[in-house]
Amino acid sequence: MAAPMGILCFKSILRKAHVLRYQGSKHMRKHFSTNENAQILPQSKKPWQLITAVCVERTPVVSAEMNEIERRYNAMLVEMELERSLLSDHEVRHKQDLLRAQKQKENEDFDLDSSMQTAQDFEDAAVEEFQNFSPASRVTDADRNNDRQSIHRKLDRKLLLVVKQKLGNDSQWVFPHAAWCEGQSLRESAEGTLSRRCGARVEAQILGNAPIGFYKYKYPTSSTAPYVGGKIFFYTAQLLKDCTLQTGDDVLDYLWLTREELAELLAPEYYKAINKFVFE
């Protein structure tokens, strides 16, 4: 009798375990089904508009003037180099000229070619030529007239191109930018932005295939655009030669500005975004 009773108890335990397992699996199916439905995004949500912008820079033309610490350090290096250096060819030649002059003084029969230019003669001619040389001024006419549309100003600083571009019913000072077209890479879109916003005559070399900066903003709720806002991807380009930009319906004006001048003109949030990748 002990064996049948044990079998019945074992079967009863198995039935209870099966019921608990079924209820647990049913609860889990209900839980995952609820989570899946919660992750479905509403179809009416607007997408972001992708935009490429180009930071065109004119690199410095002349070296920057040294400050007080740099001048003192440079003077120290010149002095150290003079103390540790060997005689130059000019100094060796000058010593040889002095020896020949001394031999001629001691021996009148010593043959000294009078038509030969001595090191002292060469030095005197070089000093005279240097005194007649007038270096070009570091301050240009564009600096004097404060012509901020010219790239011939602030020759020792980096200048950046900003345009007054029409955005909807308003216009803002920004880097030249245009909407991304489907089928293009961001690099290709940036190259098209240069020609569309700056004109075909602008020759600039875009650096790299990846964006150097990012900024996003939302459109006003009253906007009828099919986008929630714009995501701007910035590229850097270096100006290759002098050119005149074209203005039109979209680009109303343009300026070449230093980094400090950008802060005075651009919107605070926009400047905060570009300040992360704009360097001297």
Side-chain angles (χ1 to χ4, degrees):
M1 294 296 295
M5 289 295 295
I7 293 174
L8 292 175
C9 291
F10 181 71
K11 289 182 178 180
S12 176
I13 293 173
L14 287 177
R15 281 196 297 268
K16 291 182 180 179
H18 176 73
V19 171
L20 291 175
R21 186 163 59 249
Y22 173 77
Q23 291 177 345
S25 62
K26 183 179 180 181
H27 174 73
M28 292 299 290
R29 286 197 299 270
K30 181 179 179 181
H31 174 73
F32 284 115
S33 177
T34 304
N35 285 353
E36 290 174 0
N37 293 334
Q39 293 176 359
I40 297 177
L41 298 176
Q43 297 296 329
S44 60
K45 186 175 181 180
K46 295 181 180 180
W48 288 88
Q49 185 178 25
L50 301 184
I51 301 169
T52 53
V54 184
C55 172
V56 185
E57 57 184 30
R58 189 227 64 190
T59 54
V61 178
V62 298
S63 60
E65 293 185 353
M66 293 185 291
N67 56 35
E68 179 61 27
I69 295 178
E70 291 172 335
R71 283 193 291 269
R72 289 167 54 191
Y73 182 70
N74 182 67
M76 182 189 69
L77 291 180
V78 171
E79 183 178 355
M80 291 174 59
E81 182 179 1
L82 180 63
E83 292 175 352
R84 299 176 182 179
S85 64
L86 301 176
L87 293 178
S88 66
D89 292 343
H90 175 73
E91 292 171 322
V92 171
R93 179 183 171 189
H94 184 63
K95 290 186 67 174
Q96 292 174 349
D97 290 341
L98 292 177
L99 289 176
R100 280 194 292 267
Q102 182 66 25
K103 289 181 179 180
Q104 184 185 30
K105 186 177 180 180
E106 295 174 355
N107 185 5
E108 294 182 356
D109 296 333
F110 183 78
D111 185 18
L112 182 63
D113 188 2
S114 58
S115 62
M116 182 181 65
Q117 184 189 42
T118 64
Q120 188 62 46
D121 295 335
F122 173 80
E123 186 173 334
D124 294 340
V127 170
E128 182 179 359
E129 183 179 356
F130 178 75
Q131 290 175 346
N132 295 330
F133 173 75
S134 179
S137 175
R138 299 172 65 93
V139 180
T140 64
D141 292 336
D143 288 315
R144 299 184 188 96
N145 300 327
N146 195 27
D147 182 7
R148 301 206 293 179
Q149 287 191 336
S150 173
I151 64 172
H152 303 293
R153 61 184 290 266
K154 305 285 185 181
L155 299 182
D156 60 343
R157 299 288 306 277
K158 179 189 292 185
L159 295 182
L160 304 171
L161 173 65
V162 291
V163 297
K164 192 173 186 180
Q165 187 167 330
K166 195 172 182 180
L167 303 174
N169 297 326
D170 196 7
S171 58
Q172 295 287 338
W173 286 101
V174 292
F175 288 154
H177 72 263
W180 167 79
C181 296
E182 189 173 355
Q184 289 184 328
S185 66
L186 288 177
R187 165 67 184 259
E188 291 171 342
S189 179
E191 292 173 345
T193 298
L194 276 178
S195 59
R196 290 165 59 186
R197 299 296 183 231
C198 304
R201 290 180 295 178
V202 174
E203 295 188 20
Q205 177 64 47
I206 293 181
L207 307 180
N209 293 321
I212 195 174
F214 172 77
Y215 173 69
K216 71 175 182 178
Y217 63 97
K218 287 189 175 182
Y219 296 147
T221 54
S222 59
S223 174
T224 58
Y227 304 100
V228 65
K231 290 185 176 181
I232 305 178
F233 297 89
F234 294 96
Y235 281 81
T236 299
Q238 289 186 350
L239 189 69
L240 299 180
K241 70 176 186 179
D242 190 5
C243 61
T244 302
L245 271 70
Q246 299 175 354
T247 57
D249 296 335
D250 293 331
V251 176
L252 307 178
D253 199 0
Y254 68 92
L255 296 173
W256 290 95
L257 304 178
T258 62
R259 185 178 180 181
E260 293 78 13
E261 292 170 338
L262 287 177
E264 302 172 0
L265 192 65
L266 302 183
E269 289 299 321
Y270 189 85
Y271 177 76
K272 183 178 179 181
I274 68 170
N275 194 41
K276 297 177 182 179
F277 61 84
V278 173
F279 304 103
E280 281 290 339

